[in-house]
Amino acid sequence: MSTTTAELLKGAAELFPGEVVTQAHVRHIDLPSHAGRFALITLDNGLDHTKPTTFGPQSLGNLDRAIDQVEKEASEGTIVGVGITGKPFIFAVGADLKGVELLKRHEDALAIGKGGHDVFRRLSGLAVPTFTYYNGAAMGGGVEVGLHCSYRTVTAALPAFSLPEVFLGLVPGWGGCALLPNLIGADRAVSVIIENSLNQNRQLKGKQVFELGIADAIFEGADFLEQSLIWTSAVLRGELQVARPEIDRGAAWDQAVERGRAIADSKVHGAAPAAYRALEIIAAAKDGDLGAGFDAEDVALADLIMGGELRSGIYAFNLVQKRAKRPAGAPDKSLARPVTKVGVVGAGLMASQLALLFLRRLEVPVVLTDIDQERVDKGVGYVHAEIDKLLGKRRINQDKANRYKALVTGVLDKADGFADADFIIEAVFEEIGVKQQVFAEVEAVAPAHAIFATNTSSLSVSEMASKLKHPERVVGFHFFNPVAILPLLEIVRGEQTDDAALATAFGVARKLKKTAVLVKDAPAFVVNRILTRFMGEIQNIIDEGTPVAVAEKGIEPLGLPMSPLVLLELVGPAIGLHVSETLNRAFPERFTVSENLAAVVKAGKRGFYVYDTGAPVLDPEVEALLKQGDQVLTADQVRTRVLDAVAQEIGLMLDEGVVAEAQDIDLCLITGAGWPFHLGGITPYLDREGYSERVYGKKFLAQGVASVPA
C-alpha cells in the first residue's frame, strides 16, 4: 500500500466510524490440470446474504493489504494468477453509502474516489493475470473492481448486476465510466451506465452480463467457482484464448454518447447532473487514456457527493430500503389477525387486479362478487387469463397454475362468498353512498372478526364506516395503478378504526410486498392530494391563458417521469376531475374544478394529446374545447407558482398530521407516483430551491437529512 493511499483511507475511516467492514481473505489453491498455485481473494463482511458486502474506507484498506500480499507473491513467481470472489450469493454491492452521507468537505469526498481508484487499479498492474468471479449480486464498486481485472466469469444464477450510480445521483467513480466503454464499446456502456440507471435502476441478470461482453464466461450457480477455476486453468495454460471484439472508436462512439444525452434529456430534462457528468467521462474515454478518465471520475464523484442530487438520492434510497420496512405509527404486529380467505367486492379491472395480487401473495381462497353473473365471470376470467400468462412465461408451473385457478371463485350472493372471509376489500364505484351500501351488505353476512377495507382514492373512510354497527373494523387500503407495479399502499385510519384492524392491514400489506404508509383520514390522503394540487395549479394556469406547451415546459426541470398532462391521461381525466371535485368541497379556497377539464371529460376524451406521429401533440378537438383567458406566464413563472402551491399543501398536510413526518410524503411520492430519486420525492428539492422557507417559513427537513451535514 502506498503511503498516500494509506493516508487517504485512514483519514476517510476516521470520518466513518460505523462502517460494516469487509475483509479480503487470501487463500491459495492448486489449479486443475497442474496449472500452478493460485491466490484467491474472498470479499466477506462476516454477515449473511441479507447484509451485502460493501466497500468503505477500512474495507478498501483490507483489500489493499491483500493486494500487497499477492503482489509480492506474483513478483516472486510463487503464484500464476489472482482471483477475486464474494461470499455466498453476494459478490459486492459497491461503496458504503452510510459513510458518503457523513462527508462535509470536498477534499474528503475526493479522497473516497482516489482511494478506490488507487486500490482497484493495482489489480491491473500485477505481474500475473487477474480474474474476477462474479458469484452473486454485484453493483457499483463491486462491478468496477472486476473491470480492473484481466478476465471475468459470471454465474448464470446472478440476480442483480448494475452500475446504479446515476440513479442515485453519482457517476461510476472507481473506473466504470472509463473502463466499461473500453471493454464492451460505448453504446453498450451507455445502456448499462445511463439507460438502465434512469429506468428505475434496471438490473442485469448473469446471461445478460455475459452477452454484453462484460464477462468472458458463464457457468451454472451450483458449481460456479469450481468451473471458473477450471476455465482459469485453461486460460493460464494457453488452451483457451479469450477473444474480444475490436472497439469502434469512430463515429459510433460519438453516436453512443449522443444517444445517452437523448436518454438523459427524456428522463431528467437537464435537471439532474449525474448522467451528463458520466457521459462527459465516457466521451473523453474514447482515446483510451484511462489515467485521465480515472482523474475525471474522481472530480465528478467529489462534486456530486457535495451536491444536492446525491444527498436526495441517498435519502430516497434510505426511505425505500429502511423506512418502508418500519412504517411510522403501525400498531404492534401481534395484534394482527390471520387472513385465510379474502373477499373482493366488485369484479371490474381494479377489483380483478386486486384479486390476482391477493391470490399470488397470500395463496388463500379469493372470492369476487358483483351485481350480475356476467361481470363476475369476466372478473374471474381475467384472473385465469393472467395466470395463464404467468404459466406461458414460465413464472409458475402447471401445478401452481391449477392451484391458483382453484382458489379464485366468483359468486353473486355475498352470504355465500363472505361468510367465512377474514379480509374483505371493496373496489366499486367511487361514490360514498354506494360504498356505504356495500359495507352494510357485507356486515350483514361477514363473520364478526372480518376486517373491511376500502380502496377509495379520496373519500372519507370514517364517513364510509359511520352507519355500520362495528365501524372500528373499517380501514382504508388505497392501491395505486398499475397495482402490480407501483409499490405504495396508503393505509388509512378512520376515526373509529381499531388497532386490530390496522395491524391486520399492515400485516396483509407486508405479505403483498407493498410499501405501507399510515395516513390520516383526510381528503384524498397523500399522493392524490399533492398531485391534485400540482395538476390543479397547472390546469388553472392553462385556463387563465398560458399555452399548454409552456405550462408543460415549466415543469420539465423537475425531471418527472412524465409531463403533467400525460400523467392526467394515465390517471384518467374523469378520475382527475372526480378527485378535484372532492378536494374542492373540502378546501374550496385552494382546489378548483376546471371547466376545461370538465369539458374534456364530457366530450369523452381520454387525454389532451394524440400520438399520430409517435410524439404527443395537442388534440385539435381538445384545443377547440379550451376556453382561456389572457394571462400568459413564462415557463419559469409556471414552475414557481406550481411549486409554491405544492410547498403550501405539504406544509398544511404536515400541520394537519396527515402523515407522521415529511419523510412519509416523500416515500409516498416515490413509491406511489414514481417521482424520481434525484428529487428525494419532493421536500428535499423544495428545501434546496428555497420554496419551503418562502411559503412555509422553514425547511421541511433538518440539515443533513437530505443535504450536506452542517
Side-chain angles (χ1 to χ4, degrees):
M1 182 191 298
S2 72
T3 304
T4 306
T5 302
E7 289 172 352
L8 277 176
L9 295 177
K10 183 175 183 292
E14 289 171 356
L15 295 171
F16 183 20
E19 177 184 350
V20 177
V21 179
T22 297
Q23 303 298 328
H25 305 290
V26 180
R27 64 188 172 112
H28 294 91
I29 297 166
D30 289 324
L31 287 172
S33 303
H34 307 290
R37 188 167 179 258
F38 187 77
L40 181 65
I41 300 171
T42 301
L43 304 171
D44 191 346
N45 62 6
L47 303 170
D48 67 19
H49 68 279
T50 63
K51 303 290 184 184
T53 304
T54 53
F55 292 118
Q58 293 181 65
S59 305
L60 287 172
N62 289 337
L63 178 57
D64 206 43
R65 281 185 287 277
I67 296 173
D68 283 343
Q69 178 183 337
V70 298
E71 183 179 57
K72 182 173 182 290
E73 294 169 350
S75 64
E76 292 172 348
T78 60
I79 56 173
V80 295
V82 175
I84 302 180
T85 192
K87 67 183 183 182
F89 309 111
I90 301 289
F91 181 76
V93 297
D96 191 326
L97 293 176
K98 293 191 296 295
V100 173
E101 287 179 85
L102 303 174
L103 297 177
K104 301 179 182 180
R105 302 186 307 164
H106 191 275
E107 53 264 42
D108 295 330
L110 194 63
I112 292 290
K114 290 186 70 63
H117 272 131
D118 288 350
V119 174
F120 288 1
R121 69 196 301 179
R122 295 182 67 198
L123 291 165
S124 61
L126 295 181
V128 294
T130 50
F131 298 78
T132 289
Y133 309 129
Y134 290 122
N135 67 302
M139 300 174 197
V143 169
E144 289 172 297
V145 69
L147 297 179
H148 287 267
C149 290
S150 316
Y151 305 96
R152 287 154 295 280
T153 67
V154 66
T155 171
L158 184 141
F161 183 103
S162 65
L163 289 171
E165 287 84 354
V166 165
F167 176 68
L168 292 170
L170 283 173
V171 298
W174 286 342
C177 290
L179 289 170
L180 192 62
N182 279 289
L183 175 67
I184 63 173
D187 196 62
R188 288 180 168 186
V190 163
S191 294
V192 175
I193 295 170
I194 306 297
E195 188 170 20
N196 288 358
S197 287
L198 293 180
N199 277 293
Q200 294 300 310
N201 193 21
R202 183 190 295 154
Q203 300 292 313
L204 298 170
K205 304 293 187 187
K207 184 181 178 185
Q208 294 168 300
V209 173
F210 173 64
E211 290 173 345
L212 282 167
I214 300 171
D216 302 304
I218 183 169
F219 301 109
E220 293 301 320
D223 58 351
F224 169 70
L225 186 56
E226 180 185 350
Q227 292 300 319
S228 291
L229 291 172
I230 292 170
W231 181 86
T232 297
S233 174
V235 170
L236 290 173
R237 286 183 289 111
E239 286 186 5
L240 193 154
Q241 300 292 325
V242 175
R244 296 192 180 123
E246 187 177 342
I247 302 300
D248 187 335
R249 299 183 185 280
W253 193 292
D254 301 331
Q255 289 164 6
V257 173
E258 285 309 307
R259 183 175 76 87
R261 286 204 177 95
I263 292 167
D265 287 344
S266 70
K267 293 291 185 180
V268 300
H269 307 283
Y276 302 97
R277 293 295 293 268
L279 286 165
E280 288 172 9
I281 300 168
I282 293 170
K286 181 179 177 180
D287 63 5
D289 185 346
L290 295 179
F294 295 163
D295 289 344
E297 287 176 349
D298 288 341
V299 174
L301 201 64
D303 289 349
L304 292 167
I305 284 173
M306 300 311 295
E309 181 195 4
L310 171 70
R311 304 296 171 146
S312 295
I314 294 175
Y315 164 78
F317 181 82
N318 287 337
L319 290 180
V320 171
Q321 294 298 318
K322 296 177 183 177
R323 191 177 183 90
K325 293 176 174 61
R326 294 185 292 274
D332 191 298
K333 294 178 184 179
S334 66
L335 298 173
R337 295 171 184 163
V339 174
T340 60
K341 183 178 181 181
V342 173
V344 181
V345 185
L349 180 58
M350 179 55 116
S352 301
Q353 288 182 68
L354 295 181
L356 179 66
L357 179 67
F358 280 99
L359 184 67
R360 291 190 66 199
R361 297 291 187 228
L362 272 60
E363 297 191 332
V364 299
V366 176
V367 59
L368 296 100
T369 184
D370 213 315
I371 57 175
D372 59 53
Q373 192 64 46
E374 182 182 352
R375 296 183 196 213
V376 170
D377 292 345
K378 187 176 180 181
V380 174
Y382 170 89
V383 177
H384 282 197
E386 291 300 308
I387 292 169
D388 286 337
K389 288 180 187 176
L390 292 170
L391 179 63
K393 294 175 182 175
R394 299 184 179 179
R395 302 270 295 279
I396 58 174
N397 60 28
Q398 187 66 59
D399 286 345
K400 183 162 275 192
N402 293 341
R403 187 153 55 87
Y404 281 170
K405 286 184 179 180
L407 285 172
V408 64
T409 56
V411 297
L412 280 176
D413 188 346
K414 293 183 180 68
D416 289 343
F418 297 161
D420 56 349
D422 308 302
F423 191 91
I424 301 165
I425 185 167
E426 69 76 23
V428 299
F429 185 66
E430 191 77 346
E431 203 279 314
I432 193 71
V434 174
K435 292 182 184 287
Q436 286 176 331
Q437 180 183 341
V438 161
F439 275 144
E441 293 170 358
V442 169
E443 188 177 47
V445 299
H449 69 271
I451 305 301
F452 300 163
T454 170
N455 185 44
T456 182
S457 60
S458 60
L459 299 176
S460 169
V461 174
S462 302
E463 187 179 354
M464 212 176 292
S466 62
K467 297 184 179 180
L468 298 179
K469 294 174 185 174
H470 295 284
E472 70 276 2
R473 56 176 169 167
V474 178
V475 62
F477 213 63
H478 179 218
F479 290 87
F480 289 79
N481 228 341
V483 170
I485 295 173
L486 290 175
L488 180 63
L489 185 52
E490 291 179 339
I491 294 183
V492 187
R493 181 168 205 156
E495 289 174 7
Q496 298 192 62
T497 305
D498 65 18
D499 282 350
L502 207 59
T504 304
F506 275 99
V508 170
R510 275 191 298 276
K511 290 180 180 176
L512 294 177
K513 298 184 180 178
K514 292 294 183 182
T515 297
V517 176
L518 181 61
V519 179
K520 182 181 177 182
D521 187 17
F525 316 128
V526 176
V527 172
N528 283 344
R529 179 163 166 184
I530 292 172
L531 290 185
T532 303
R533 185 74 196 274
F534 173 79
M535 301 283 290
E537 206 58 46
I538 290 167
Q539 191 68 59
N540 289 341
I541 287 166
I542 292 170
D543 293 353
E544 290 164 9
T546 298
V548 169
V550 176
E552 293 264 75
K553 189 173 180 60
I555 305 305
E556 279 187 2
L558 290 175
L560 298 178
M562 62 189 73
S563 76
L565 293 184
V566 173
L567 174 63
L568 178 65
E569 190 172 304
L570 181 69
V571 170
I575 293 174
L577 179 64
H578 174 77
V579 177
S580 70
E581 289 170 341
T582 300
L583 282 161
N584 172 254
R585 287 193 292 274
F587 309 115
E589 69 282 4
R590 300 193 312 279
F591 289 87
T592 57
V593 178
S594 167
E595 291 184 8
N596 281 327
L597 179 58
V600 168
V601 172
K602 185 178 180 182
K605 305 301 293 185
R606 296 180 61 183
F608 275 61
Y609 294 124
V610 290
Y611 297 86
D612 299 339
T613 63
V617 176
L618 187 61
D619 185 339
E621 293 180 12
V622 170
E623 191 172 16
L625 291 171
L626 296 181
K627 295 179 179 177
Q628 293 182 282
D630 56 7
Q631 184 179 335
V632 179
L633 302 184
T634 66
D636 288 346
Q637 289 171 328
V638 168
R639 184 166 59 260
T640 297
R641 181 165 150 187
V642 170
L643 291 178
D644 277 352
V646 170
Q648 181 192 35
E649 203 61 38
I650 289 172
L652 290 165
M653 291 167 71
L654 292 173
D655 290 345
E656 293 168 22
V658 174
V659 290
E661 293 181 290
Q663 284 90 327
D664 291 314
I665 285 176
D666 292 320
L667 182 58
C668 285
L669 286 174
I670 291 164
T671 58
W675 280 37
F677 268 42
H678 74 259
L679 292 181
I682 186 62
T683 67
Y685 180 86
L686 296 173
D687 284 353
R688 194 163 67 240
E689 299 298 319
Y691 292 99
S692 310
E693 288 179 284
R694 183 170 71 246
V695 176
Y696 188 52
K698 61 182 179 180
K699 290 183 175 181
F700 293 122
L701 300 170
Q703 186 70 31
V705 173
S707 53
V708 176

